[in-house]
Amino acid sequence: MKTIQVKAGKVTIGSDEPIIVQTMCNTHTSDIEASVDQCRRLSKAGAELIRLTVPSLAQVDSLREIKTRLLSEGIDTPLVADVHFSSEIAIAAAEVVEKVRINPGNFHKDHEKAREQFARLVEVCKANGTAIRIGLNHGSLGERITNLYGNTPLAMKEAVMEWLKMCVENDFYNVVVSLKASNTFVMVEAYRLLAKEMEETGVVFPLHLGVTEAGNGDGGRIKSAVGISALLSEGIGNTVRVSLTEDPENELPVARYLSDRYGRRLHSSMVSLTIQGKKAIATYCAPSKERLLLDFSCDFGKRLLDKELDEVELNGSYIDKNGEEVQLGGSEYAEYLTDELMQAARRRFYRPEYIACPGCGRTMYNLESTFEEVKQRTRHLKGMVIAVMGCIVNGPGEMADADWGYVGEGNGKVSIYKGKEPVMRHVPENEAIDRLLELIEK
């Protein structure tokens, strides 16, 4: 897609530019030393944009200090302020960083007031050369939009189009857009609808792609690759973030792979493909286990999402870390990768479906270890949807499809949800997983 070009510091996002790789710190922004150290490592690892959460006005000052220290070391990777629930924080942050992410669903409770505040934000951005990301999440659409369109990809598209029209009204085009969901089908359909409508209006903003709350490990990587590659393969998308419940540095190799593959600098390791009806038989000669996982996900994720195929058989080999060739045909690993791919494309569920955010400065507990323990203790619950969320920003909303949810409250306490309703609040963190399991057993 031909898009407007957007400037965020030294980075240009849009058509004819490379696909930009970004990530987000999971440090508390108020912890300046930890945040500077993580930004330093992420920049060195290849992050071209780095986002930090800004939950209070006090942390705008922290953000300013972080940027000053990084620049003093010669690190000029553009910073993005992630803002929820406060338009005033967004306006203040726009004077400090190269880009501000706002969420239409929670920018301001009153829609007319939101329009006024957005106009103020735009003026500050114009004066400072700051870009805006209108970053909508499936889980935080807002009551007004869901009453009109339901909790659907159409609702996501309509919500974002309202804000893009406001950008045009304010003569402001330094804007990137995202419509993220943890459900790959919802995410892909929402972006497709938006891309089509923007092209019809003649004003096409660059798109930031991501599957939010993808989880961790192989499952998180496969789920992210399926959703993002389905769009990139259609020419939709200009910057990517892979959201893993891990150290954010681990997100970058996957994002870089996607950027390189769809920037036509990398080819699949598949060497042959046979189609029998709606079944594909694929043979790979992959240079590593990691490449096999990503190639397989990108080669077949879109076809499964779009129901062009119903089944995939994986053959061939990959080279392990010792330089040995490992055969795939009929192996447990081939079966496992196929199961994970079918689950990520929402075609067949062989284990619980997990929704887990990557963590950020709003997270008030050890999200990574908690998520791993929840996975270990619930892996027998095939087909159940279980969410582990760091905080309330997207937690209850992104858990809309979940059977059960674990949401951090802060201060060592957790809320447990059954569906959309909290059934236990203020549960001590050291008891919360036990309580969750007891409720599921009942």
Side-chain angles (χ1 to χ4, degrees):
M1 289 174 60
K2 285 288 183 183
T3 75
I4 293 166
Q5 289 194 335
V6 168
K7 290 287 291 182
K10 67 176 184 177
V11 169
T12 304
I13 304 167
S15 55
D16 301 324
E17 295 293 327
I19 298 164
I20 299 299
V21 168
Q22 57 180 285
T23 187
M24 183 174 183
C25 288
N26 61 5
T27 55
H28 296 290
T29 307
S30 56
D31 187 340
I32 293 168
E33 293 295 338
S35 298
V36 168
D37 181 61
Q38 190 167 76
C39 287
R40 188 185 293 122
R41 290 189 290 108
L42 293 173
S43 180
K44 185 177 180 180
E48 294 168 296
L49 284 169
I50 300 173
R51 183 157 42 116
L52 298 99
T53 185
V54 190
S56 70
L57 281 169
Q59 292 192 351
V60 175
D61 292 331
S62 300
L63 198 59
R64 183 180 286 104
E65 179 63 20
I66 290 165
K67 182 179 176 183
T68 298
R69 293 198 192 183
L70 290 171
L71 288 173
S72 72
E73 297 179 19
I75 300 171
D76 59 355
T77 304
L79 301 183
V80 184
D82 191 70
V83 181
H84 294 268
F85 302 118
S86 173
S87 53
E88 292 294 344
I89 294 174
I91 291 165
E95 296 183 353
V96 176
V97 293
E98 289 85 355
K99 187 178 173 189
V100 175
R101 180 273 174 104
I102 60 169
N103 188 331
N106 58 37
F107 184 69
H108 197 284
K109 291 180 181 180
D110 179 82
H111 185 62
E112 287 308 312
K113 188 66 176 176
R115 291 176 64 87
E116 292 175 18
Q117 289 292 87
F118 185 69
R120 283 184 59 206
L121 173 62
V122 163
E123 289 308 310
V124 174
C125 289
K126 286 180 179 179
N128 291 274
T130 308
I132 292 176
R133 171 157 71 97
I134 296 174
L136 183 134
N137 277 6
H138 183 215
S140 53
L141 274 171
E143 187 176 351
R144 187 180 65 84
I145 287 291
T146 53
N147 284 341
L148 288 169
Y149 304 103
N151 194 20
T152 62
L154 175 62
M156 296 170 71
K157 184 267 290 184
E158 291 292 338
V160 161
M161 282 305 302
E162 283 189 354
W163 286 71
L164 294 184
K165 288 171 185 174
M166 287 160 54
C167 293
V168 174
E169 289 167 6
N170 286 279
D171 193 31
F172 185 71
Y173 297 91
N174 205 32
V175 175
V176 179
V177 193
S178 66
L179 302 90
K180 295 186 180 181
S182 59
N183 178 317
T184 49
F185 178 81
V186 170
M187 172 258 192
V188 168
E189 286 305 303
Y191 276 105
R192 284 171 172 166
L193 288 171
L194 178 62
K196 183 174 184 290
E197 179 141 345
M198 287 196 299
E199 287 193 315
E200 288 173 355
T201 64
V203 183
V204 184
F205 293 91
L207 292 169
H208 166 129
L209 303 185
V211 178
T212 192
E213 285 92 37
N216 65 357
D218 293 342
R221 286 161 173 78
I222 292 170
K223 193 173 185 180
S224 294
V226 165
I228 295 170
S229 70
L231 293 163
L232 290 177
S233 68
E234 297 172 11
I236 297 172
N238 308 94
T239 177
V240 299
R241 190 263 172 117
V242 173
S243 300
L244 298 177
T245 312
E246 300 179 20
D247 186 316
E249 197 169 335
N250 295 345
E251 299 175 353
L252 295 170
V254 187
R256 176 55 60 195
Y257 164 90
L258 291 164
S259 174
D260 286 347
R261 175 170 172 143
Y262 294 98
R264 294 175 172 78
R265 295 187 294 273
L266 192 66
H267 299 286
S268 171
S269 59
M270 183 169 61
V271 293
S272 71
L273 173 64
T274 303
I275 303 292
Q276 298 176 348
K278 297 192 81 171
K279 177 180 178 178
I281 302 171
T283 302
Y284 285 83
C285 184
S288 68
K289 198 173 185 178
E290 292 74 19
R291 268 294 300 277
L292 172 68
L293 179 150
L294 293 173
D295 285 347
F296 186 49
S297 302
C298 293
D299 289 336
F300 295 101
K302 172 180 160 60
R303 302 182 201 201
L304 289 165
L305 273 175
D306 292 343
K307 299 186 179 178
E308 295 172 12
L309 295 172
D310 291 334
E311 192 176 351
V312 182
E313 181 181 314
L314 178 59
N315 293 311
S317 64
Y318 68 88
I319 305 301
D320 68 15
K321 291 181 179 179
N322 297 317
E324 300 291 328
E325 186 176 21
V326 179
Q327 296 298 319
L328 291 164
S331 68
E332 287 186 7
Y333 187 65
E335 183 180 351
Y336 160 73
L337 277 190
T338 303
D339 283 341
E340 283 291 333
L341 179 61
M342 296 296 284
Q343 177 128 353
R346 305 188 72 79
R347 299 300 306 279
R348 182 177 70 232
F349 294 88
Y350 83 104
R351 59 163 173 79
E353 176 74 354
Y354 295 105
I355 300 169
C357 67
C360 68
R362 296 183 296 266
T363 305
M364 296 298 178
Y365 67 97
N366 191 324
L367 182 62
E368 292 180 36
S369 63
T370 299
F371 180 44
E372 274 304 311
E373 185 175 350
V374 169
K375 284 174 67 177
Q376 289 300 315
R377 295 178 65 179
T378 60
R379 59 187 174 184
H380 59 292
L381 301 171
K382 178 181 176 181
M384 187 170 283
V385 183
I386 299 171
V388 180
M389 310 300 289
C391 70
I392 63 167
V393 168
N394 296 319
E398 292 295 353
M399 296 188 324
D401 296 329
D403 299 301
W404 295 93
Y406 178 115
V407 182
E409 296 178 359
N411 299 316
K413 300 295 174 62
V414 171
S415 289
I416 297 174
Y417 281 68
K418 185 177 190 295
K420 297 179 182 179
E421 300 299 323
V423 291
M424 282 190 179
R425 290 193 185 274
H426 317 313
V427 181
E429 187 184 326
N430 60 357
E431 301 174 13
I433 297 178
D434 289 336
R435 300 292 85 77
L436 173 64
L437 269 292
E438 288 169 9
L439 286 167
I440 292 173
E441 289 298 325
K442 287 179 182 178

